[in-house]
Amino acid sequence: MTSDINPRAEQYRELRDPMRDLCAQFDSHYWQAVEAEDAYPEAFVRALTDAGWLAALIPEEYGGAGLGLTEASVILEEINRSGANSGACHAQMYIMGTLLRHGSAEQKARYLPRIAHGELRLQSFAVTEPTTGTDTTKTKTFAEKRGERYLVNGQKVWISRVQHSDLMLLLARTTPLAEVRKKTEGLSIFLVDLHAALGHGLSVRPIRNMVNHETNELFFDNLEVPAENLVGMEGQGFRYILDGMNAERILIAAECIGDGYWFVDRARAYAGDRIVFDRPIGQNQGVQFPIARAYAAVRAADLMRYEAAGLFDAGRPCGPEANMAKLLAADASWEAANVCLETHGGFGFAAEYDVERKFRETRLYQVAPISTNLILSYIAEHVLDLPRSF
Amino acid sequence: MNIIVLVKSVPDPAAKVGVRDNKIVEDGLAWEANPYDENAVEEAIRLKEKYGGKVTLITLGPKRAEETLKKMLALGADEGILVSDPAFEGSDELATARILAAAIEKAGGYDVIWAGWTGVDWNQGIVAQAVAEYLGVPHVSFVTKFEVNGQTARCETEVEGGREIIEVDLPAVLTAMQTLNEVRYASLKNIMAVKRKTIPTWGAADLGINPAEVGKGAAHHHLMKLIPPPERAAGRVLKGAPEETVQELVRALREEVKVL
Ligand SMILES: Cc1cc2nc3c(=O)[nH]c(=O)nc-3n(C[C@H](O)[C@H](O)[C@H](O)COP(=O)(O)OP(=O)(O)OC[C@H]3O[C@@H](n4cnc5c(N)ncnc54)[C@H](O)[C@@H]3O)c2cc1C
């Protein structure tokens, strides 16, 4: 077998090689130390930022690299493939997309170059709410226009990286649900300056959770947001969110693919080394078949990821492919995680092997940023024309 | 300030290199920049960032060495030149230095020339000094700290058990130690910029070098035989109670290994 179990690793070598060099500097010891302290991987994110990797999708005119989505997806894939977790920083790569597509010329000129340069972190997007969950159009957080500003009141939950961001995008209702023609109308997106907001109408309560991932409850109590921080048109926020979804799905799929290859790699290495009953455990079909199956699933999902990314970069519709790529890749990485843990037996539970950490991390992709059921309902309704379920 | 860096493409230092027919087996071998050359490139880029100017990388090697050149360009160098010609194959260190000196003259207008203190492949550590001789400029080896003061530079170098501080006239050839600096990561922008760069290839004719005076035929020394290091015998683990294993260990050290 070739040295890389991913035959596609031959493509985009100019991105993969330097990414692998960089990630190799942040090895297992680094991630275990970060995990033990429940800390933000600041040095890793800094190194990625300084070398410009997180500005991959920002156009060159704003100081980014102006790469396509396929290339950006390769970057995130390599992060996860190295044993690291993109979750700490992936959003810096794509949240700015909303600003890029719908922000005013003035907003773009003001923020994008500084985001590209790494001076400003825009890696939080507050959508989810405790009482409405996935049903985004029921968003209760309300932004009421008062002259040159909006007053925001409400509550959000699971909002990630707020404590490591300078700016945050916020989805809030600007017209009550009862007063809009369609429930998808009347939602707006705001750019919130977190330094100005904290302690002045915004409070943040961290949520302890299953992975080392900084995520929070947010409470808005008459937070003032200047009217000039409205992104795009008032009332069109839901559509703007949909516009960013395909890109996000594809990037997340690539992270899952990176995880999947990592798990299969670890599983096959361990299965080859571990001697029990005087032979490598990998000689037993009961051990090797699940690894083979997981590998096949990762490869298959990877095809869908490239299909979706290729369509996206060609400017063609890719909703079905992007959703299926996310579904298949998240399932494949989760299967591979399970198999990898199983192959390691008791040692899979030891933090030292990184398997249990990656196992927990990859589990998240089934739920966030979008749960598997919601993807399935998209495919059923929008691809297969089955009746709408909700 | 115009800075030239000599970069060599060498087998991955971590790789296990096989030997066949008095040659190393190249199949499946990954090639990388000589690690100390990376320090040389880093220093050159820092000089450019401080004083302005241009960093030009020169590599002598086969076509595949272009990949190494590109990787080093991605650190932020401006130009890369591949010096390559079938006639150059098998050149000894002196001929290598001659070819490189000719390439440096052709590239023209240099203030500083950097190289790694040795190549981790053959570990000779003499090409850079010979280049200085051919160019008629001074050289300082094993540099760990470098500061430019007008037409001279102050170099700290490592010597057995201590340091030397040397002032050298510019232009000069300097060789970099690993402790000279910490090499940066390639930035995405530079990686993309490399894609748009063309790397010229200069052969014997471009450099005005008589092929008969370089290459294998003109070498002053010849490799007679290349022998891989002997396979290390498997270790032995002594098992049992400490009283017994210690006795057995002492016996083995006395009678088998004969070190006691
Ligand atoms: C670590 C972490 C980080 C996060 N970061 C962010 C962030 O930065 N910003 C942000 O806005 N959100 C974030 N989220 C929130 C995340 O997007 C939501 O958790 C997710 O979309 C699901 O919403 P919910 O938790 O309210 O689940 P619910 O909507 O309550 O759903 C619970 C379960 O029911 C299923 N379900 C619900 N409705 C249906 C239906 N009609 N048919 C079938 N099944 C259904 C869901 O699939 C899910 O399995 C994060 C979540 C986590 C765990």
Side-chain angles (χ1 to χ4, degrees):
Chain A
M1 176 129 216
T2 51
S3 54
D4 200 315
I5 58 168
N6 174 9
R8 294 260 189 169
E10 279 313 306
Q11 293 167 351
Y12 303 103
R13 277 240 84 98
E14 74 284 5
L15 299 174
R16 293 186 200 268
D17 285 346
M19 271 306 291
R20 288 180 182 189
D21 287 348
L22 189 155
C23 291
Q25 304 299 316
F26 299 88
D27 57 5
S28 176
H29 295 295
Y30 174 81
W31 290 103
Q32 279 165 33
V34 167
E35 183 82 8
E37 289 162 22
D38 229 348
Y40 186 73
E42 186 62 44
F44 175 69
V45 177
R46 206 10 75 209
L48 282 174
T49 309
D50 287 347
W53 293 103
L54 300 180
L57 288 170
I58 300 180
E60 284 180 294
E61 57 177 309
Y62 296 112
L67 298 189
L69 195 73
T70 310
E71 289 155 310
S73 78
V74 166
I75 295 169
L76 296 180
E77 175 193 343
E78 287 299 334
I79 292 178
N80 281 40
R81 174 72 194 265
S82 78
N85 179 12
S86 295
C89 57
H90 55 189
Q92 174 79 352
M93 202 185 238
Y94 57 78
I95 286 184
M96 66 79 211
T98 303
L99 202 57
L100 179 66
R101 280 184 297 271
H102 306 292
S104 66
E106 207 255 311
Q107 284 170 334
K108 289 194 273 190
R110 180 150 169 218
Y111 295 110
L112 288 177
R114 294 168 71 197
I115 293 169
H117 190 253
E119 225 174 286
L120 284 181
R121 282 182 180 160
L122 167 57
Q123 50 178 2
S124 286
F125 203 151
V127 178
T128 309
E129 296 191 354
T131 54
T132 47
T134 314
D135 196 356
T136 308
T137 58
K138 301 259 174 57
T139 292
K140 291 202 178 74
T141 298
F142 200 86
E144 187 189 344
K145 187 141 192 210
R146 293 265 187 92
E148 282 310 295
R149 54 180 58 89
Y150 286 84
L151 270 192
V152 182
N153 282 288
Q155 192 179 340
K156 295 277 174 185
V157 70
W158 299 116
I159 309 309
S160 303
R161 297 164 297 267
V162 175
Q163 296 163 62
H164 295 91
S165 295
D166 302 291
L167 301 167
M168 173 179 84
L169 290 184
L170 167 70
L171 182 78
R173 271 227 161 264
T174 37
T175 310
L177 189 57
E179 294 170 25
V180 288
R181 280 181 299 125
K182 277 166 68 185
K183 62 180 182 177
T184 52
E185 290 173 359
L187 289 156
S188 303
I189 290 179
F190 298 92
L191 189 64
V192 177
D193 175 344
L194 285 166
H195 301 292
L198 277 169
H200 298 95
L202 170 65
S203 50
V204 175
R205 191 190 296 161
I207 307 174
R208 281 188 54 77
N209 63 86
M210 183 168 122
V211 284
N212 175 20
H213 181 95
E214 187 237 296
T215 189
N216 312 276
E217 271 182 289
L218 304 186
F219 303 90
F220 300 90
D221 180 13
N222 285 328
L223 171 72
E224 291 188 8
V225 176
E228 63 186 35
N229 284 18
L230 174 73
V231 177
M233 291 197 305
E234 194 186 284
Q236 295 300 306
F238 190 77
R239 184 166 66 76
Y240 298 162
I241 289 199
L242 293 186
D243 285 346
M245 259 174 196
N246 289 338
E248 185 185 271
R249 301 266 197 279
I250 294 166
L251 293 173
I252 296 293
E255 291 176 22
C256 294
I257 296 294
D259 275 352
Y261 282 124
W262 186 90
F263 285 119
V264 172
D265 243 347
R266 284 300 175 101
R268 79 166 172 144
Y270 191 82
D273 284 349
R274 171 75 172 165
I275 310 286
V276 182
F277 296 113
D278 302 320
R279 57 179 161 172
I281 55 168
Q283 197 176 330
N284 303 303
Q285 292 186 330
V287 174
Q288 59 180 229
F289 283 8
I291 303 174
R293 186 179 290 280
Y295 175 65
V298 174
R299 289 281 306 272
D302 205 11
L303 291 179
M304 187 61 86
R305 164 268 186 118
Y306 281 108
E307 169 88 0
L311 288 170
F312 186 98
D313 283 331
R316 295 177 42 205
C318 64
E321 290 76 13
N323 276 282
M324 288 189 285
K326 154 64 175 67
L327 174 80
L328 295 171
D331 282 352
S333 81
W334 177 232
E335 181 186 349
N338 228 341
V339 167
C340 186
L341 193 84
E342 197 75 31
T343 305
H344 279 73
F347 293 93
F349 291 79
E352 199 188 329
Y353 284 78
D354 299 312
V355 174
E356 60 84 32
R357 170 176 59 83
K358 292 283 281 180
F359 176 92
R360 287 180 281 119
E361 286 168 354
T362 217
R363 183 63 180 80
L364 178 62
Y365 294 122
Q366 297 282 337
V367 176
I370 182 74
S371 66
T372 301
N373 276 0
L374 269 287
I375 299 245
L376 289 169
S377 78
Y378 173 94
I379 298 168
E381 185 185 323
H382 296 282
V383 185
L384 302 178
D385 265 341
L386 287 164
R388 189 179 169 81
S389 63
F390 58 85
Chain B
M1 178 174 285
N2 281 338
I3 309 139
I4 288 176
V5 188
L6 304 177
V7 174
K8 187 175 189 185
S9 179
V10 299
D12 173 5
K16 196 170 181 299
V17 180
V19 172
R20 197 188 305 132
D21 302 332
N22 287 327
K23 280 195 194 128
I24 67 165
V25 181
E26 295 197 1
D27 294 349
L29 211 53
W31 296 81
E32 291 180 0
N34 181 43
Y36 310 114
D37 300 356
E38 293 192 20
N39 297 102
V41 174
E42 173 66 36
E43 197 64 18
I45 294 168
R46 289 184 189 194
L47 288 171
K48 180 184 94 162
E49 284 168 351
K50 198 161 170 192
Y51 300 106
K54 192 174 89 173
V55 176
T56 305
L57 311 183
I58 299 182
T59 290
L60 170 61
K63 181 77 182 153
R64 63 163 158 64
E66 203 175 280
E67 285 311 308
T68 304
L69 208 43
K70 282 186 186 160
K71 265 188 150 178
M72 290 298 100
L73 278 168
L75 294 182
D78 300 280
E79 280 176 33
I81 296 160
L82 180 66
V83 180
S84 194
D85 194 310
F88 296 159
E89 271 168 40
S91 289
D92 63 8
E93 287 75 18
L94 209 55
T96 299
R98 218 178 126 196
I99 298 162
L100 287 171
I104 292 168
E105 296 281 20
K106 184 171 159 71
Y110 50 84
D111 301 296
V112 179
I113 296 163
W114 276 101
W117 72 272
T118 190
V120 296
D121 48 359
W122 297 105
N123 260 319
Q124 299 287 344
I126 50 181
V127 168
Q129 291 84 328
V131 166
E133 282 303 308
Y134 277 118
L135 294 173
V137 300
H139 87 266
V140 180
S141 294
F142 316 124
V143 177
T144 57
K145 205 166 170 211
F146 185 74
E147 271 165 37
V148 175
N149 300 314
Q151 287 310 300
T152 64
R154 182 180 182 278
C155 312
E156 274 187 37
T157 72
E158 225 164 74
V159 289
E160 187 94 31
R163 286 180 307 153
E164 263 180 356
I165 314 282
I166 297 173
E167 194 182 67
V168 65
D169 291 339
L170 298 180
V173 174
L174 296 315
T175 69
M177 299 285 284
Q178 193 175 10
T179 46
L180 176 64
N181 51 41
E182 200 171 314
V183 182
R184 73 193 60 198
Y185 299 113
S187 79
L188 183 52
K189 260 200 225 169
N190 286 330
I191 291 164
M192 300 324 287
V194 172
K195 282 187 152 183
R196 295 190 276 258
K197 289 193 163 102
T198 46
I199 296 178
T201 303
W202 292 349
D206 302 299
L207 300 176
I209 285 179
N210 176 357
E213 291 173 10
V214 293
K216 199 167 180 213
H220 296 290
H221 61 72
H222 298 276
L223 181 75
M224 308 295 288
K225 216 171 175 123
L226 189 62
I227 305 158
E231 289 283 336
R232 278 220 269 162
R236 198 169 119 205
V237 180
L238 302 177
K239 286 185 185 158
E243 307 85 65
E244 290 162 25
T245 50
V246 168
Q247 275 196 356
E248 171 57 13
L249 178 63
V250 173
R251 189 203 60 78
L253 290 173
R254 274 218 177 97
E255 294 169 21
E256 291 174 31
V257 200
K258 301 198 170 81
V259 291
L260 291 181

